[in-house]
Amino acid sequence: MNAELTTVRAGALTTVQDAGRRGHAHLGVPRSGALDEQAMRLANRLAGNDAGAAVLETTLTGCALRPDRAVTVVVGGAPCPVTVGGRPVAWGAPVRVPAGAVLDVGAVTAGVRSYVAVAGGVAVDPVLGSRSTDLLSGLGPAPLRDGDVLPVGPPARPAPLVAAPWPGPPAELILPVRPGPRADWFTPAALRTFTSATYRVSPHSNRIGLRTEGPALQRTSTGELPSEGMVLGAVQVPPDGRPVVFLHDHPTTGGYPVIAVVAEPALAAAAQAAVGTPVRFTPG
C-alpha cells in the first residue's frame, strides 16, 4: 500500500496544486495550478517526481502532516523552518519522514508560499486532467482542513540526496509588460504613470489576483466595457484605478479594461511578493 498523509495543522491556506488544468478557458475554467511553478518543479525534481506532480502549496503559516508510512519530502519555495518529530531538518532538500512522525512546515521567514513535495506526489483524484484546487470555480479538492487525509502515489524513482539553489523572494517586484487590448482607454499621463510609478502589493491579494496600492490610473473613457476574455497575467484596472495582475485562479472573462499583460515567466516572483513589496511595471 502507498502512504497517506494526515493533516495535523492545515495552516492559513494550504491547497493541492500541480501544473494546472490548461485548455478549458472556453468553458469558463481557469488554469489554476501552482502560483510559483518554478518552485513546484524544483521541489518535485528533488523529491524524484515528475516536474508537474501534485504538491501542497502553503500560504504564510505553513502546515503540519503525519504520514502513516515513511516518506521522502522536499519543502521549498518561500523559506521557512522545517521540523520532523520536533527536530530541525533541511529546507530545500530531500528529507526522510518516518511513519507516525510529524512534518511541521513553519511560518515563512520571507516570501509567501512554500511547497511540500512528497515522493510519489499527492494522489487526489484529478478533475479535468488536474489535481489542482481552484479557489474561484471550486474545482479540485477543497483547501486542507485539520484531519484531512491525503493519498500519496507510488514513488517514481529514488529521490536524489542533493540540494539545489533556490531563488529568493523579491525585495522589489519588477513585472515586464506589453500593452493590453484596452491601453487606449487610459490617458497618456496614466500610461506614463503606469510604467514609472512604484506600487506596492496590497493585503487584498490572493490566488486570483495580485492587487496593488499606488496612484490611480485615469481613463479617457468612462463607458462600460462588455465582458471579454482574460488571460493569465492580464493587468486589469477596476474603477478605483489601481492595477490588478491576474494570477492562476483568475476569471476567464472580465468587464474592466486591461491596460497591459505581464509576461508569464515573471509571475512566479509575483507569487512570492509579500504585502508591501514595491511593484514596478516596465515595458518589455
Side-chain angles (χ1 to χ4, degrees), residues 6-18:
T6 297
T7 306
V8 177
R9 178 175 62 84
L13 176 63
T14 301
T15 59
V16 177
Q17 299 296 339
D18 57 17

Side-chain angles (χ1 to χ4, degrees), residues 26-251:
H26 65 294
L27 301 175
V29 177
R31 179 191 300 186
S32 63
L35 290 194
D36 188 345
E37 189 168 342
Q38 297 171 17
M40 177 200 72
R41 290 180 174 276
L42 179 53
N44 270 325
R45 285 198 293 270
L46 291 174
N49 295 336
D50 292 336
V55 302
L56 295 179
E57 178 184 274
T58 73
T59 309
L60 296 175
T61 62
C63 68
L65 308 163
R66 180 189 293 114
D68 66 344
R69 297 171 182 267
V71 294
T72 298
V73 300
V74 175
V75 180
C80 62
V82 184
T83 63
V84 172
R87 297 186 176 186
V89 296
W91 171 90
V95 170
R96 194 70 172 166
V97 182
V102 174
L103 167 73
D104 193 276
V105 179
V108 299
T109 56
V112 180
R113 295 173 174 90
S114 299
Y115 291 86
V116 183
V118 56
V122 178
V124 297
D125 292 336
V127 178
L128 293 179
S130 170
R131 294 181 166 91
S132 289
T133 301
D134 180 351
L135 297 182
L136 185 66
S137 71
L139 292 175
L144 252 62
R145 297 165 295 185
D146 293 356
D148 282 354
V149 177
L150 298 171
V152 176
R157 52 189 173 273
L161 298 178
V162 297
W166 291 82
E172 181 181 38
L173 183 60
I174 308 297
L175 297 177
V177 295
R178 294 185 177 180
R182 302 299 175 185
D184 58 352
W185 277 50
F186 297 89
T187 66
L191 295 174
R192 289 192 297 271
T193 297
F194 176 63
T195 56
S196 62
T198 298
Y199 290 84
R200 292 190 180 275
V201 176
S202 164
H204 300 294
S205 300
N206 53 30
R207 282 186 49 86
I208 294 171
L210 184 143
R211 295 182 177 273
T212 64
E213 297 175 340
L217 302 178
Q218 297 297 121
R219 294 186 189 182
T220 57
S221 172
T222 58
E224 292 295 325
L225 181 67
S227 288
E228 54 190 2
M230 292 289 148
V231 299
L232 181 64
V235 184
Q236 195 181 62
V237 182
D240 68 2
R242 274 76 181 186
V244 178
V245 182
F246 274 175
L247 301 179
H248 288 61
D249 286 0
H250 72 87

